[in-house]
Amino acid sequence: MNFNKIDIENWARKPYYEHFINNIRCTFSMTVNIDITDLLLELHTKDIKFYPTFLYMVTKVVNAHQEFRTCFDEQGNVGYWQSMMPCFTFFHNDDKTFSNLWIENCENFAAFYSCYLENMQKYGNVKDIVARKNVPPNTFPVSCIPWANFTSFNLNIFADGMYLLPIITGGKYFEQEGRTLLPVSLQVHHAVCDGYHASVFMDELQEQATQCRQWLIIE
């Protein structure tokens, strides 16, 4: 859980960071339909749940790029975590509420999937906004709205506008021209991410889905 402070004076992104922190503090979101046709087929064949698979995929992309791990530490220093873990929402069907749960980042899908199942068994019935306490600082938020195949999604944080980490939301997948598509929304802070980085995120998420047979192993 190493936090690496950024030397702002020698940071190539300094003018952009300072502009979008001091002059025009803003976030932006992008929603893209990810083709999960082959991924779903593989999941059904191997009897693997979709949601933890989605969590694993986005965690892999987040950890592949410093831009998605950049934030402030408790002292207000800007820097980036060496690695991050997902803190995700899950739904309570009986009373239509949700809870947040974080799980450890794992090197491979089999270990991640096992960790997900174990934690859901332990905390899945906890009725609190945070089901597993002591949330580590190196987590990022992920959620899913499986009831709507939205075309856009934006989460508004009414604070000081200094939340730099990505916010990822999946929607309800749907059929179109013989393919199955999943709407995915990514919200980022312009101080650390541009449209290029958001596009890279979506491209690599699509690559994860397309190449699922290479890593979707639980044995």
Side-chain angles (χ1 to χ4, degrees):
M1 193 176 70
N2 296 327
F3 186 81
N4 303 282
K5 290 172 58 177
I6 292 175
D7 179 2
I8 296 180
E9 294 305 315
N10 295 300
W11 190 18
R13 191 165 181 83
K14 177 187 176 183
Y16 307 94
Y17 168 78
E18 292 183 337
H19 177 70
F20 289 112
I21 285 292
N22 300 323
N23 300 330
I24 306 176
R25 194 172 295 176
C26 70
T27 66
F28 69 90
S29 62
M30 174 186 290
T31 301
V32 172
N33 290 329
I34 302 298
D35 188 333
I36 59 169
T37 309
D38 296 336
L39 174 64
L40 282 183
L41 178 61
E42 196 73 7
L43 292 177
H44 292 158
T45 300
K46 297 182 177 180
D47 194 24
I48 298 174
K49 297 178 182 295
F50 173 77
Y51 193 34
T53 304
F54 175 69
L55 295 174
Y56 177 80
M57 291 165 60
V58 298
T59 301
K60 291 288 288 184
V61 179
V62 165
N63 280 319
H65 299 279
Q66 177 181 315
E67 290 81 8
F68 303 131
R69 292 178 278 117
T70 301
C71 61
F72 297 104
D73 66 7
E74 294 180 349
Q75 289 72 45
N77 300 303
V78 65
Y80 60 93
W81 293 106
Q82 197 67 32
S83 66
M84 301 202 73
M85 301 177 287
C87 186
F88 59 93
T89 61
F90 64 91
F91 189 65
H92 300 290
N93 194 56
D94 56 351
D95 61 2
K96 315 305 180 190
T97 61
F98 72 92
S99 297
N100 287 287
L101 176 62
W102 62 274
I103 58 174
E104 291 78 2
N105 181 30
C106 303
E107 290 299 320
N108 58 65
F109 178 73
F112 185 93
Y113 191 70
S114 177
C115 183
Y116 171 89
L117 295 178
E118 290 173 4
N119 276 274
M120 284 301 298
Q121 183 176 23
K122 186 174 183 179
Y123 300 103
N125 292 320
V126 176
K127 294 295 184 65
D128 197 348
I129 194 165
V130 179
R132 185 182 181 186
K133 305 300 182 183
N134 302 315
V135 181
N138 60 323
T139 58
F140 66 95
V142 190
S143 61
C144 187
I145 306 175
W147 309 278
N149 55 340
F150 53 71
T151 56
S152 66
F153 180 82
N154 188 66
L155 182 66
N156 301 301
I157 301 176
F158 294 98
D160 57 3
M162 300 288 277
Y163 188 83
L164 303 184
L165 292 173
I167 301 172
I168 301 157
T169 309
K172 177 182 179 180
Y173 51 79
F174 62 98
E175 299 294 324
Q176 181 174 292
E177 298 181 354
R179 308 298 292 179
T180 305
L181 305 179
L182 172 74
V184 177
S185 174
L186 170 71
Q187 186 160 318
V188 292
H189 201 295
H190 215 341
V192 294
C193 288
D194 302 322
Y196 167 77
H197 304 103
S199 300
V200 167
F201 179 93
M202 295 301 181
D203 287 344
E204 294 193 3
L205 190 62
Q206 180 62 71
E207 184 178 354
Q208 290 276 340
T210 303
Q211 299 179 358
C212 61
R213 291 183 180 86
Q214 299 180 14
W215 54 265
L216 198 59
I217 301 170
I218 58 174
E219 298 178 355

